[in-house]
Amino acid sequence: MAKLEELQWRGEPLRAKIYFTDAEVYEVYTDTSYTEPRSSSFIKQASFRLSEGNNNVNPLGISSSNTVSLQIYDENDYLNPTNTDSPYYNYLVSGIRMDIEISYNGTVFEPFGTWYITSWGGGFSDGWHSLVTVGASDRLNTIGSLDLPLLRAYSNVQASVLIGDVMNGIGISGSEYTIDSRINSSLMYGVAQGTKVRDFLNNICQILFARVIVDMNGIIRFVPALEAYLNGNELDLTPGNTGSLSSKTNSNINYNKLKVVYLEAGETTRETIINDNSHQLVEGANLITDITFSKKVLSVETVETIHEQTDDNAEVTDITFAAYQDGIQLNITAANGPINSLTISGTGMVVSTTERNVELDLVDASVIGGSTFSFDTKQMMTKADAQQIANKLKQYLIKMSKNIILQGTVLTPKLFTGDTINIGGTGTSYDGSYKVTAIELTIGENYSSNVTLIRL
């Protein structure tokens, strides 16, 4: 953890690079003295909303992208989406990449996020074109919208392996994501819930009490929800530089009881898991991908085919398969003509499940109007594991229900979610160590930073 010696903003300039094509890059700064050749275009204001996720819908949080909004004075009005004379007119669409960089020494620019543009806006007033507004977000929402890849069925799997298989399955290499070792644990049965990657991210992070964020270098990071990041920064503040301090309770956390729902594993038996007669084979190679399982299958042991004799004596000469969590992919080779009447059967190990739950009362919780927070893990586990999750969830809700807000500060733009802030010298209950969970940051003609904290 690096100690930040510079506590406040020192007028660090920003640079935005908008990549319309590899060769066509639009570049603009908050400080026009950096522009070569000289230009009067500049970034009037950059507003960042950085957070570890959205806790408004679910106290456990759901994954969501960080966002930025730029107000740009463009001397030629080229970024106005209605300007048909702009050389970028056909490129003013969603999904364009934008790199934002910052210089802490006035010379070298460092990454300040890789963003993907979601909106363009222009205008006209007082006889001249107005500022252009460019909205963008990091790639987390885009990744979440992807279809969940096919995953192997596994038991007693490390969470890091399951996460890695999903990331690799959507084309994200090992150098593009990190998993904090403190959230890694063994899952009795690694199930990826839902059909979209966001479904998986939300489920696995909630079970692990983790968050998934994209850092300023564009790296996807799986991190603990209640602990500072291992490679985060640390900032020591005294009453002179905290800005306005306030505390508040989270009205979204209004519970006096919690319930953890889980699946209790029953007997493991060998059963028929495939009985399909809906396919025909052509001569040569056949790929079948639409056979799904109706049970929780731990392994596939045999796959066989049966068919009637044909006039050409057609036959199946080879079968290979790959089993996934919800089905199987078959490669079947037929020789001597097509096979129009085919039965595919298979056996495997199946586990039965029963829905169970554990409950806990929350002390120091809502007395009147409180409700039960129900967390459906959607995972097979033991009662002891579910009880452990309930105990952790109890501590989590207590921590997340109380926030500290630093308002109107000019704290350094190096500050990021997951960093540690130590407040001392106030002689009040505010003294202590905190984790940064959200930042609203404005850089431009004016500078301000509002920081949300939870106590460590």
Side-chain angles (χ1 to χ4, degrees):
M1 184 173 291
K3 180 79 73 171
L4 294 178
E5 302 299 335
E6 296 291 344
L7 304 183
Q8 298 182 329
W9 181 58
R10 298 184 300 157
E12 292 92 340
L14 293 180
R15 172 171 65 190
K17 293 180 177 179
I18 301 175
Y19 290 84
F20 293 111
T21 67
D22 291 339
E24 195 69 55
V25 182
Y26 180 94
E27 192 170 291
V28 64
Y29 296 77
T30 52
D31 184 343
T32 58
S33 65
Y34 286 87
T35 307
E36 292 294 341
R38 196 72 176 178
S39 169
S40 60
S41 298
F42 66 97
I43 301 171
K44 183 178 187 295
Q45 181 172 290
S47 301
F48 298 85
R49 294 181 66 90
L50 314 174
S51 72
E52 291 190 316
N54 183 352
N55 296 324
N56 294 327
V57 177
N58 186 327
L60 284 173
I62 58 175
S63 61
S64 62
S65 285
N66 293 326
T67 62
V68 61
S69 177
L70 298 184
Q71 290 184 342
I72 300 173
Y73 175 74
D74 175 37
E75 61 179 345
N76 297 309
D77 204 27
Y78 282 161
L79 301 184
N80 187 338
T82 61
N83 183 2
T84 56
D85 294 327
S86 169
Y88 312 124
Y89 178 71
N90 292 324
Y91 299 102
L92 298 177
V93 295
S94 297
I96 297 295
R97 175 182 147 208
M98 175 173 65
D99 289 348
I100 297 181
E101 300 169 324
I102 191 168
S103 179
Y104 296 106
N105 61 9
T107 303
V108 178
F109 280 83
E110 302 178 18
F112 208 67
T114 297
W115 310 87
Y116 296 88
I117 294 174
T118 56
S119 65
W120 307 83
F124 182 90
S125 64
D126 299 326
W128 197 245
H129 64 78
S130 305
L131 296 170
V132 172
T133 301
V134 179
S137 62
D138 65 34
R139 62 176 177 164
L140 196 56
N141 284 348
T142 301
I143 290 169
S145 298
L146 297 176
D147 291 332
L148 194 64
L150 293 174
L151 296 171
R152 294 175 291 124
Y154 8 40
S155 58
N156 298 318
V157 62
Q158 290 296 114
S160 59
V161 174
L162 185 57
I163 293 171
D165 281 355
V166 172
M167 292 293 101
N168 297 333
I170 59 175
I172 295 176
S173 67
S175 63
E176 296 178 87
Y177 69 91
T178 65
I179 303 171
D180 192 306
S181 59
R182 292 172 294 176
I183 67 170
N184 196 19
S185 61
S186 180
L187 302 175
M188 181 177 179
Y189 184 70
V191 177
Q193 294 295 330
T195 60
K196 297 293 184 181
V197 171
R198 74 167 61 89
D199 301 324
F200 166 76
L201 294 178
N202 291 330
N203 182 248
I204 195 70
C205 284
Q206 288 169 2
I207 289 172
L208 301 175
F209 296 97
R211 294 285 187 267
V212 55
I213 58 102
V214 178
D215 69 16
M216 288 307 195
N217 292 300
I219 304 299
I220 302 166
R221 300 178 61 187
F222 293 84
V223 293
L226 296 178
E227 299 178 76
Y229 303 169
L230 290 176
N231 61 346
N233 296 312
E234 186 173 5
L235 197 64
D236 294 336
L237 299 181
T238 56
N241 47 37
T242 58
S244 174
L245 272 171
S246 64
S247 59
K248 70 172 186 177
T249 58
N250 188 340
S251 60
N252 189 42
I253 300 178
N254 182 33
Y255 307 104
N256 52 27
K257 183 176 288 188
L258 65 87
K259 178 171 68 174
V260 173
V261 181
Y262 67 100
L263 298 176
E264 181 183 67
E267 293 184 353
T268 301
T269 56
R270 181 176 288 104
E271 297 183 20
T272 297
I273 56 174
I274 304 171
N275 185 19
D276 177 271
N277 55 13
S278 64
H279 291 87
Q280 299 175 334
L281 302 180
V282 299
E283 185 174 10
N286 296 264
L287 176 64
I288 298 174
T289 61
D290 59 353
I291 296 178
T292 59
F293 300 139
S294 60
K295 304 175 181 179
K296 289 194 177 297
V297 176
L298 296 179
S299 65
V300 178
E301 297 187 337
T302 64
V303 176
E304 299 176 336
T305 60
I306 301 173
H307 63 89
E308 297 177 353
Q309 186 172 358
T310 68
D311 294 339
D312 298 324
N313 292 321
E315 60 178 338
V316 172
T317 59
D318 186 54
I319 303 175
T320 60
F321 64 86
Y324 299 97
Q325 292 199 359
D326 58 354
I328 190 168
Q329 180 173 291
L330 298 164
N331 289 280
I332 303 177
T333 303
N336 303 326
I339 298 175
N340 296 321
S341 179
L342 178 75
T343 298
I344 304 172
S345 63
T347 61
M349 299 304 295
V350 175
V351 61
S352 63
T353 60
T354 304
E355 185 173 285
R356 306 287 190 191
N357 67 76
V358 296
E359 294 187 355
L360 282 180
D361 291 326
L362 296 177
V363 296
D364 300 327
S366 299
V367 177
I368 298 175
S371 57
T372 298
F373 176 66
S374 181
F375 173 39
D376 188 352
T377 67
K378 306 182 188 301
Q379 297 281 349
M380 281 198 302
M381 61 183 66
T382 64
K383 183 177 181 179
D385 289 336
Q387 188 69 55
Q388 186 177 28
I389 288 178
N391 293 334
K392 288 182 178 179
L393 180 56
K394 178 179 178 179
Q395 297 304 314
Y396 173 90
L397 291 176
I398 292 171
K399 287 271 190 183
M400 296 300 293
S401 67
K402 298 176 176 64
N403 298 141
I404 302 296
I405 313 295
L406 307 181
Q407 294 177 308
T409 76
V410 288
L411 294 179
T412 172
K414 286 188 177 181
L415 198 64
F416 191 64
T417 58
D419 288 349
T420 299
I421 289 183
N422 303 309
I423 299 176
T426 70
T428 68
S429 62
Y430 289 112
D431 287 348
S433 294
Y434 299 87
K435 174 188 174 180
V436 176
T437 59
I439 302 173
E440 294 182 2
L441 178 64
T442 300
I443 302 176
E445 294 179 346
N446 299 303
Y447 183 93
S448 69
S449 176
N450 298 327
V451 183
T452 302
L453 311 171
I454 59 169
R455 189 180 289 272
L456 288 171

